[in-house]
Amino acid sequence: MALIDDIFELIKQRPGISDAGLTHALPGGPSRHQQINARCRKLVAEGLISRDKQPGLAIQNFPTEKVHAALPTEGSARPRVGEKRPPRGADGRCPAVPPGKPVPATVAAQEPTATKPAPSGVSHIKITTALLWHSGGEVALDGLEKLLFPILKPIAGIYRFRFPHRRSVYVGETTNLRRRMQNYRTPGATQSTSIWVNKLIRECLVDNEIVLLDTSTDISVSLNDASKHDVLHSKTIRLLAENAALFAETEAGWTTLNKAT
């Protein structure tokens, strides 16, 4: 992946990021500052970003309205700069919005409606799952090298960790989002999955890669077009939403890290 594409992806994910922020986030460090500055100017010339300079502040980079109109979601396959964008893919993507803002994305998983009568004794069902992702922000390291997660509500839901540099994603479900993040922060000796996720996030952050956390507590399910409400208490429904989200991420070109997939 070319440097200009990495820069464009980061600006879409973090509108307002400065050149210094891009230099810090991308491999190569300060030695690439001039290269990053030159490529930002090229993106401006192509009408893909705008650069805003306020008195006393660093230059900030924003995706243009043209970019938002052409690609409103983060998870779709990203073309090289200057290429024509592909058609929109599966739902369930995370638009580039500031941390803490709701992300209007839905994930739908359903069986196709039968086109002819089912054989005797065979029934067809249609299950539709929709969810709304909320961007929680970035995971960070504190001075003691412990993971710092955005503060989440202690409620049931699903969550995903996104690793944009690697274009990979991990999705999970839980009865308590806040407690689950604590498990990842300080995993117990027998919590093999939490230990593995902790190690992965730590490695990315040490390499100056971004780790994004999104959550969803807005999940709805319909069975044969009949809506079901208050579904988050059900582990079956949370697993259904989790797997629908994993399917959508795969369709959008992201590599899923869940071991079951």
Side-chain angles (χ1 to χ4, degrees):
M1 185 180 295
L3 175 61
I4 193 169
D5 296 297
D6 290 331
I7 293 171
F8 187 44
E9 187 71 18
L10 276 171
I11 293 173
K12 288 189 298 178
Q13 293 163 4
R14 300 170 62 184
I17 187 171
S18 65
D19 288 9
L22 290 167
T23 302
H24 177 75
L26 292 169
S31 64
R32 307 196 76 174
H33 181 79
Q34 290 185 343
Q35 294 176 336
I36 289 171
N37 183 269
R39 282 156 179 79
C40 284
R41 293 197 300 271
K42 187 175 188 298
L43 289 169
V44 171
E46 295 184 6
L48 297 175
I49 71 168
S50 63
R51 287 161 69 80
D52 182 41
K53 179 68 170 72
Q54 299 293 331
L57 298 177
I59 296 176
Q60 295 179 299
N61 299 287
F62 297 89
T64 63
E65 291 301 321
K66 181 176 74 173
V67 172
H68 284 300
L71 187 63
T73 55
E74 170 192 295
S76 55
R78 178 178 55 79
R80 296 287 182 179
V81 173
E83 292 181 355
K84 184 178 180 181
R85 298 190 180 280
R88 293 184 62 186
D91 288 334
R93 309 162 192 150
C94 176
V97 297
K101 299 293 185 180
V103 176
T106 60
V107 175
Q110 65 184 41
E111 294 187 10
T113 304
T115 57
K116 59 182 180 179
S120 177
V122 177
S123 62
H124 290 267
I125 62 171
K126 181 175 72 173
I127 300 176
T128 302
T129 304
L131 60 92
L132 179 68
W133 285 114
H134 292 268
S135 176
E138 298 182 19
V139 183
L141 282 172
D142 66 10
L144 299 176
E145 295 193 352
K146 287 188 176 181
L147 298 181
L148 295 175
F149 294 92
I151 299 176
L152 305 179
K153 295 181 180 179
I155 57 178
I158 69 171
Y159 58 92
R160 66 182 178 185
F161 293 111
R162 282 196 161 197
F163 307 90
H165 282 74
R166 308 181 183 199
R167 200 162 179 78
S168 57
V169 60
Y170 177 83
V171 181
E173 59 80 26
T174 181
T175 57
N176 188 312
L177 289 165
R178 182 179 297 176
R179 184 168 61 231
R180 180 56 55 87
M181 296 306 111
Q182 179 61 29
N183 290 344
Y184 288 136
R185 186 173 189 267
T186 54
T190 61
Q191 297 175 323
S192 58
T193 299
S194 296
I195 293 173
W196 171 76
V197 173
N198 176 286
K199 181 180 178 181
L200 173 62
I201 295 175
R202 187 183 301 277
E203 288 176 352
C204 290
L205 295 176
V206 169
D207 290 339
N208 291 322
E209 297 181 16
I210 297 172
V211 180
L212 302 173
L213 172 62
D214 303 322
T215 64
S216 179
T217 56
D218 301 293
I219 300 172
S220 61
V221 174
S222 62
L223 174 61
N224 295 331
D225 297 323
S227 297
K228 304 293 182 181
H229 303 284
D230 191 25
V231 296
L232 280 176
H233 69 279
S234 169
K235 184 176 181 66
T236 299
I237 297 300
R238 295 196 306 273
L239 287 172
L240 180 64
E242 175 188 322
N243 283 281
L246 284 169
F247 174 75
E249 298 290 347
T250 300
E251 289 294 294
W254 288 69
T255 300
T256 56
L257 302 176
N258 294 59
K259 295 181 179 179
T261 61

